[in-house]
Amino acid sequence: MRTLGALVLALALAAGTLGTGASAQAAGKASSAGGAPTASSAEVNKLKVVRLGDPSAGLFKWGDTSEHVIEALRSALDAKYQPRLKEASADPGMQQRIQTEMRKEMDNVSKSLTKFDGQKSGWDVSIIGPEFQQNTGEAVVQIKEDVWTRYFFFFEDGLYKIFLSFNKDAIEGKTFGDFGKEMQAKFGRSREVYRDEKMKGGVRRFLDHYEWNAGGERLRLVDRSEFYGVYCLVLYDAKINDRVVAKRKIVNPAHSTHDALVEAATQKEINDRDSNDNIID
C-alpha cells in the first residue's frame, strides 16, 4: 500500500507540472498522445494569401512588419473593388459611392492596428482576448473578409500568427465535431486534443481542439462557440511563438500559467504522456 500511495503521489505531482488550459474561458488540462499529423501545405498557404481566394496575389510571410501587412491588405481591397468600379464606369454617382465604401474599408484596416502596450481595450475581452498579453511587444491588425475575420498578430513588429474567426453563416449550426471533420477533409487528418474539466461529482472530458503540424508552423482549430458562437483557425510560426512565450513568462509570470499560447508551446510534453494520464490531479 505504501508503494501504491507513492506511485499515486508521483503521478499527481507529474500531472501538476503540465501547462494549463488552451483558452482563458475553460479550466483543466488538455492532453493527447503521439505527434500531430502534417497538414496540406497548399491549404495552409491559402490561409496566408494576401487577397482572399487569390493565391497568385502572394503570401504573407512570418516576420512581415505591420506596415507591410496593412499596405498589402489595402492593395488587396483596391483589387477587390476594381470590378465594381469598372461596371459603374457609366455612372459617376455610383462610382463615388463605391470609392467611399472602399476608402472606409481601407481606413478600418489601418485604424485596427493596436499595440498592446498596457492600455486596456475591448480587445482584452473579445474573441482574441486569449491570444495576446499586454506589455510584451505584441500587436494586432484586423480585416473582415467573406468567410471570416482575419487577425494578424505581431511580436516586436514581426508577423507571427494569423487568427481566423469564421463567420456564423459559415458554421451553419454545425457541431465542433462536424466542423472538425470538414477541416480535416481540407487540411488532412488531425490530432484531436481533449480536455479534462473538474465538475461537481467528477471530471468531464471533452474535445478541446484539433491540431496539425505544418513544417515550422502549427495549425489549430479551436472552439469559441460557447461565448461567441464560432470556430477559429490559428496558424503560427513555432519558433517565434517560443520567443513570445518566453517574453510573457518574464513580463506576466502569473498570467502566463493560464495562457493558451503557453499551453501550445508545452503541448509536446503533454503529447509524450498517455492520453489518460491527466485524470489524477
Side-chain angles (χ1 to χ4, degrees):
M1 290 298 291
R2 183 175 300 173
T3 301
L4 178 59
L7 176 60
V8 172
L9 178 60
L11 287 172
L13 290 173
T17 62
L18 299 179
T20 58
S23 80
Q25 290 90 354
K29 292 189 280 290
S31 70
S32 59
T38 300
S40 163
S41 59
E43 291 298 328
V44 168
N45 282 340
K46 289 179 182 179
L47 305 179
K48 299 186 290 183
V49 294
V50 172
R51 184 181 177 190
L52 182 62
D54 184 10
S56 65
L59 303 178
F60 290 107
K61 298 179 178 61
W62 305 126
D64 283 348
T65 65
S66 56
E67 180 181 5
H68 175 87
V69 169
I70 289 172
E71 185 56 38
L73 291 174
R74 289 175 62 92
S75 296
L77 288 171
D78 180 78
K80 168 187 169 183
Y81 278 92
Q82 287 311 308
R84 290 178 59 190
L85 288 169
K86 186 176 181 180
E87 289 177 4
S89 58
D91 187 341
M94 177 61 72
Q95 274 200 331
Q96 181 63 41
R97 288 191 291 273
I98 294 172
Q99 288 173 345
T100 299
E101 180 184 341
M102 178 180 68
R103 284 195 295 271
K104 181 179 179 181
E105 198 167 353
M106 287 182 174
D107 288 345
N108 286 340
V109 169
S110 299
K111 292 175 182 177
S112 74
L113 174 61
T114 304
K115 297 180 180 180
F116 302 117
D117 53 7
Q119 184 68 36
K120 296 289 185 178
S121 68
W123 290 126
D124 294 84
V125 291
S126 72
I127 195 170
I128 64 167
E131 302 299 326
F132 68 88
Q133 286 187 18
Q134 297 285 351
N135 297 315
T136 53
E138 299 177 63
V140 72
V141 165
Q142 174 195 31
I143 184 171
K144 293 183 178 181
E145 296 174 311
D146 295 341
V147 297
W148 53 47
T149 298
R150 191 158 45 156
Y151 302 85
F152 298 84
F153 284 88
F154 303 86
F155 176 62
E156 297 176 349
D157 204 33
L159 179 65
Y160 86 96
K161 178 168 63 177
I162 299 175
F163 181 96
L164 306 104
S165 173
F166 285 92
N167 299 336
K168 289 187 177 181
D169 57 357
I171 305 301
E172 295 180 347
K174 298 181 180 73
T175 66
F176 189 47
D178 290 338
F179 200 73
K181 290 177 182 177
E182 288 189 9
M183 293 298 100
Q184 289 184 90
K186 181 183 295 288
F187 296 105
R189 185 175 62 87
S190 72
R191 176 173 55 193
E192 297 181 358
V193 180
Y194 290 81
R195 175 179 301 284
D196 289 346
E197 186 177 54
K198 290 182 180 179
M199 301 184 69
K200 186 175 181 179
V203 175
R204 179 175 74 98
R205 165 160 286 201
F206 61 96
L207 179 60
D208 185 76
H209 65 271
Y210 297 85
E211 62 184 21
W212 297 260
N213 284 320
E217 301 168 345
R218 302 291 182 268
L219 176 66
R220 294 179 140 203
L221 175 66
V222 299
D223 185 356
R224 296 283 164 85
S225 62
E226 182 177 1
F227 294 94
Y228 303 101
V230 296
Y231 310 128
C232 309
L233 285 170
V234 190
L235 178 67
Y236 59 93
D237 179 276
K239 288 186 177 179
I240 304 179
N241 177 81
D242 289 343
R243 292 174 53 205
V244 179
V245 170
K247 182 69 172 289
R248 289 184 180 182
K249 286 182 177 179
I250 294 171
V251 176
N252 304 306
H255 185 62
S256 65
T257 60
H258 300 281
D259 186 352
L261 196 147
V262 171
E263 187 272 339
T266 59
Q267 189 68 43
K268 184 178 184 301
E269 297 178 39
I270 298 175
N271 295 339
D272 290 338
R273 302 173 62 85
D274 183 83
S275 61
N276 293 314
D277 70 353
N278 65 336
I279 293 176
I280 299 174
D281 188 0

